[in-house]
Amino acid sequence: QISVFNYRNAPAYADIFPRSSETKPFTQSLGVFGAIAGIVGSIQAMEAIKILIGAEDTLAGHLLLIDMRTYGFRKVKMG
């Protein structure tokens, strides 16, 4: 999942994913695959560049969902 939070009236991370004392971080039980972290990191870097240059088409207000099993990408509007 990738998004841009707190930018141009976009929701904050805590608005979408409230923290619960019962929530166990996903990575603690399964770990992180390096290749997936590289793909997600590259997309996040591109979002940062788009913000720096003032592009209008950022992921602010949207959530990009990636299914690496099927190589599917889906963008959904938050809020």
Side-chain angles (χ1 to χ4, degrees):
Q1 300 171 343
I2 304 166
S3 187
V4 173
F5 296 101
N6 299 333
Y7 180 70
R8 294 189 178 171
N9 299 319
Y13 183 83
D15 295 334
I16 307 302
F17 303 104
R19 186 169 174 94
S20 168
S21 60
E22 299 173 13
T23 304
K24 180 178 178 182
F26 185 72
T27 57
Q28 281 185 357
S29 60
L30 296 178
V32 175
F33 292 102
I36 295 171
I39 292 167
V40 170
S42 295
I43 294 171
Q44 288 175 319
M46 192 65 228
E47 286 301 300
I49 291 168
K50 289 177 3 182
I51 288 169
L52 290 172
I53 65 172
E56 296 292 324
D57 62 339
T58 68
L59 285 173
H62 293 86
L63 189 62
L64 180 64
L65 305 172
I66 304 172
D67 182 344
M68 291 307 297
R69 188 176 51 84
T70 63
Y71 299 113
F73 286 75
R74 187 173 58 147
K75 186 168 112 175
V76 295
K77 186 158 180 60
M78 291 189 284

